[in-house]
Amino acid sequence: MLISSLLLRNRIPVIPLLLELNHRQLSLSTTMPGKRKSEDGSSAAAGGEAKKNKTETQWKNINFDSDAKDKKGNKWNFKISSWNVDGVRACAKKGGAAFLEHEAPDILCLQETKVNEKQIPGEFKVDDYPHQYWLPAKKDGYSGVALLSKEKPDSVKFGFDDSEHDDEGRVITAEFPTFYLVTTYVPNAGRKLVTLDKRMDWDPKFRKYVSELDAKKPVVVCGDLNVAHKEVDLKNPKTNTKNAGFTKEEREGFTTLLEAGFTDMYRHFYPEEKDAYTFWTYMMNCRAKNVGWRLDYMLASNRIVDNVADCLHRSDVLGSDHCPITLLLTKPE
């Protein structure tokens, strides 16, 4: 979400939260797959105890099926989804956790979770996703990322070894046998660009980090990258050239990241698609008018682009000011 970023001065380490849901840890989930536990501990259907509203009743009108095939003609066999939830507790109350049931990705990455260990809503603690990794920001109620997986990663890394950025809970890396998955919530340049310097500090450090991973095995990067890369990626480009998310510096930083060996998978499949956004401010009824920005991305190492079958915006999924995005691929060998 486009908000003013705040610099965190203290250097107290962030404590990552690892939730392994299994038969020995029933305190995290005692419900059957497809069910959710509400924050007060009571069992509830996928939508929790939220009121009947558009967020809860949306699912029947969305088609999550796909017969997409990769360039080699193989039907996809692996699904990665990413969603800036703008506060995972608020998203759960709006019924957003049902996305796990209806999209049913192999891995779901979340950004801007805004929770610590005690605040994680029960609706997201489901048996179908026994391997959960939550990284909060040091500052309560700010930033934060999470990764929920059906398959246990070989290893998980929190942050990318930079104390200032890591204190804000912005990166989780999961290593699997044939690829890395990096989920990130990139710093915002802020209102009147007050934290643009911080963003410019981030870009080369993050690029170096994912490039080093790419030298070992292919990488998928997903999350809220807080930049609209081209004019086609936001509704009003001409009036936003000096606003966070569309400055020359941020856009050039994203171009340089792609040049380091990565492909923007949505634009790979839909290079000329217009009005394709992932973020809409709550103000002025922007979502209904589709006045938005494309801030959320799936990037893949160039050498596994042919493994990807499709990259989708789930723009009809409510629960946040961002929509989820989904990557369909055949697992790298």
Side-chain angles (χ1 to χ4, degrees):
M1 184 179 71
L2 295 178
I3 58 174
S4 298
S5 301
L6 301 175
L7 290 174
L8 301 182
R9 301 294 184 185
N10 296 326
R11 291 289 186 268
I12 302 174
V14 173
I15 301 175
L17 309 176
L18 166 59
L19 303 182
E20 293 286 352
L21 307 186
N22 56 41
H23 296 298
R24 293 172 304 206
Q25 294 173 297
L26 295 177
S27 61
L28 290 177
S29 178
T30 58
T31 60
M32 295 295 290
K35 295 288 187 178
R36 310 292 187 268
K37 184 182 284 185
S38 64
E39 293 185 65
D40 63 3
S42 60
S43 295
E49 295 296 332
K51 294 180 180 180
K52 292 281 186 181
N53 56 29
K54 287 178 64 178
T55 311
E56 284 193 36
T57 59
Q58 65 181 302
W59 308 106
K60 65 181 180 180
N61 298 318
I62 304 173
N63 181 15
F64 291 97
D65 296 328
S66 174
D67 294 322
K69 297 180 180 180
D70 67 17
K71 192 171 183 179
K72 301 174 185 177
N74 301 311
K75 187 180 184 300
W76 65 274
N77 59 15
F78 201 73
K79 180 187 288 189
I80 301 170
S81 293
S82 177
W83 194 5
N84 179 322
V85 289
D86 189 26
V88 70
R89 288 174 291 177
C91 183
K93 289 178 180 178
K94 296 173 183 176
F99 180 73
L100 284 169
E101 178 181 336
H102 293 277
E103 181 75 88
D106 293 277
I107 304 172
L108 173 62
C109 297
L110 305 175
Q111 302 87 42
E112 210 171 353
T113 53
K114 302 180 183 179
V115 291
N116 60 39
E117 181 178 14
K118 295 180 180 179
Q119 298 169 330
I120 300 169
E123 289 89 340
F124 280 88
K125 298 175 185 177
V126 293
D127 292 343
D128 288 356
Y129 295 85
H131 311 291
Q132 299 198 7
Y133 309 89
W134 297 75
L135 179 63
K138 176 186 163 297
K139 180 180 176 65
D140 190 41
Y142 176 73
S143 189
V145 291
L147 186 150
L148 286 62
S149 180
K150 294 179 177 180
E151 174 185 345
K152 186 174 183 179
D154 291 343
S155 65
V156 174
K157 178 181 176 67
F158 298 90
F160 63 106
D161 302 320
D162 182 272
S163 58
E164 179 176 341
H165 295 301
D166 288 352
D167 280 351
E168 296 186 344
R170 293 191 178 276
V171 177
I172 295 177
T173 304
E175 180 182 3
F176 294 92
T178 57
F179 71 101
Y180 289 100
L181 175 60
V182 180
T183 182
T184 184
Y185 177 44
V186 172
N188 186 277
R191 188 181 299 276
K192 296 184 179 180
L193 306 180
V194 294
T195 51
L196 181 60
D197 288 347
K198 174 181 174 181
R199 170 60 179 268
M200 292 299 96
D201 179 67
W202 164 282
D203 279 357
K205 290 177 178 177
F206 184 73
R207 182 175 66 250
K208 179 177 182 291
Y209 175 68
V210 295
S211 295
E212 289 173 350
L213 294 179
D214 188 44
K216 301 174 186 177
K217 61 179 73 172
V219 180
V220 174
V221 178
C222 69
D224 179 355
L225 304 191
N226 254 324
V227 62
H229 187 210
K230 303 289 187 180
E231 288 192 356
V232 70
D233 293 319
L234 72 165
K235 189 67 172 181
N236 298 308
K238 296 187 185 302
T239 58
N240 280 291
T241 55
K242 296 183 180 180
N243 288 332
F246 198 60
T247 63
K248 178 182 178 181
E249 294 89 341
E250 292 165 294
R251 296 166 65 195
E252 288 179 347
F254 187 80
T255 297
T256 305
L257 174 59
L258 296 181
E259 291 173 345
F262 298 92
T263 298
D264 174 354
M265 293 312 307
Y266 185 81
R267 284 299 171 210
H268 174 76
F269 288 104
Y270 309 101
E272 305 298 330
E273 188 74 15
K274 296 180 180 180
D275 301 322
Y277 309 127
T278 65
F279 165 80
W280 307 261
T281 178
Y282 286 124
M283 298 182 292
M284 298 177 287
N285 205 26
C286 281
R287 189 157 191 170
K289 299 175 183 176
N290 198 26
V291 178
W293 299 57
R294 188 170 75 99
L295 301 178
D296 304 86
Y297 294 81
M298 289 283 183
L299 310 182
S301 295
N302 291 342
R303 64 186 181 278
I304 59 167
V305 166
D306 289 351
N307 290 72
V308 181
D310 207 349
C311 184
L312 303 165
H313 291 176
R314 300 303 195 189
S315 55
D316 292 330
V317 173
L318 307 178
S320 169
D321 51 3
H322 292 248
C323 74
I325 57 176
T326 292
L327 194 72
L328 306 178
L329 69 157
T330 54
K331 260 188 168 183
E333 297 179 356

